[in-house]
Amino acid sequence: MPNHAYKNFANVKERVAWESAVLLAMKYLPQIVKDAKANTKDISTRAYSIYFGAYDKTRWAKVIGTLSAMDFALQSGGITFVRTSTGGADECAATRPPYGSWKDQTPKQVADSSHARQDAYTMTVGDAFYKAKNSIDLTLKSAQFNTVCHELSHLVSGDVDDPVYGDAESRLLARSDPNTAAKCAENYGFYCEMVYSALAPAPIVPAAP
């Protein structure tokens, strides 16, 4: 397992909720990257076209680079997840690594950030995560997965910002300004959630008595 650190969580339940979302992202990001890579000038996957617009080689390379870095960041370890005090920040936030973007990291730098430079790669966890509603299917589990992916996109890329918030706004941005969509954390969060939802096994519904 990657050597991530978890700090200041008030109880086991809080930590497990966050760690579960992180583990889901670790499990599905390789397949999410694969979905994005499947796009060409002749082929467009549904989720990609919804959140990043029509295929454009430069924009596609940006999306692939960001998603691949998100996957690498989770798989390589070294992120410190810090729970903000209850009643504090309502949002989660990501701090970029100290040596440039994730793709430039060496194993030694990852280890250094994880140990000697503890907290160098930091993501804070605010109260809103535990009641998140920012999901396509309006479930807490999907919203928490979405949140982790949103913040990872900030962590690994210096030009991913928050020009819009919300699913409808992200889709509109992809249609009106796809280049900005490729630099929008919400578009990464919702894109990852859509692909994850298509890949994840459907919940088992108990038969009626």
Side-chain angles (χ1 to χ4, degrees):
M1 287 290 292
N3 188 26
H4 300 303
Y6 298 81
K7 291 188 171 184
N8 301 339
F9 286 81
N11 51 57
V12 172
K13 184 177 180 180
E14 279 195 355
R15 171 169 168 165
V16 167
W18 177 261
E19 194 168 3
S20 295
V22 169
L23 290 172
L24 268 184
M26 286 177 60
K27 178 178 179 180
Y28 286 100
L29 267 168
Q31 298 172 78
I32 291 168
V33 172
K34 184 177 180 180
D35 178 89
K37 286 183 175 179
N39 289 269
T40 68
K41 62 183 179 64
D42 300 314
I43 301 172
S44 181
T45 64
R46 178 172 180 266
Y48 184 94
S49 61
I50 288 174
Y51 291 105
F52 299 114
Y55 177 85
D56 170 84
K57 187 174 181 179
T58 300
R59 182 165 59 249
W60 173 82
K62 163 62 180 173
V63 172
I64 294 297
T66 300
L67 291 170
S68 296
M70 290 162 61
D71 181 38
F72 176 74
L74 280 187
Q75 307 299 342
S76 62
I79 303 174
T80 298
F81 301 110
V82 182
R83 176 72 168 98
T84 59
S85 59
T86 301
D90 280 338
E91 299 176 354
C92 298
T95 301
R96 295 188 67 215
Y99 304 109
S101 64
W102 275 99
K103 66 182 177 64
D104 299 324
Q105 307 302 301
T106 66
K108 183 179 183 302
Q109 289 172 337
V110 170
D112 176 52
S113 297
S114 180
H115 301 290
R117 297 184 59 154
Q118 191 69 40
D119 298 337
Y121 305 72
T122 301
M123 192 179 294
T124 57
V125 183
D127 294 344
F129 173 79
Y130 298 96
K131 51 188 177 183
K133 298 178 180 178
N134 57 311
S135 65
I136 301 167
D137 65 6
L138 303 180
T139 67
L140 179 62
K141 183 176 181 180
S142 293
Q144 291 176 336
F145 176 86
N146 183 319
T147 298
V148 169
C149 293
H150 173 118
E151 295 305 334
L152 277 170
S153 71
H154 282 307
L155 184 71
V156 303
S157 181
D159 61 357
V160 170
D161 209 340
D162 296 308
V164 301
Y165 286 101
D167 184 30
E169 292 79 0
S170 298
R171 294 178 186 224
L172 178 60
L173 183 65
R175 294 194 297 272
S176 63
D177 189 355
N179 288 333
T180 298
K183 299 178 181 179
C184 178
E186 283 286 82
N187 288 68
Y188 285 98
F190 283 106
Y191 169 71
C192 289
E193 182 198 341
M194 179 172 280
V195 178
Y196 151 72
S197 296
L199 294 169
I204 298 174
V205 179

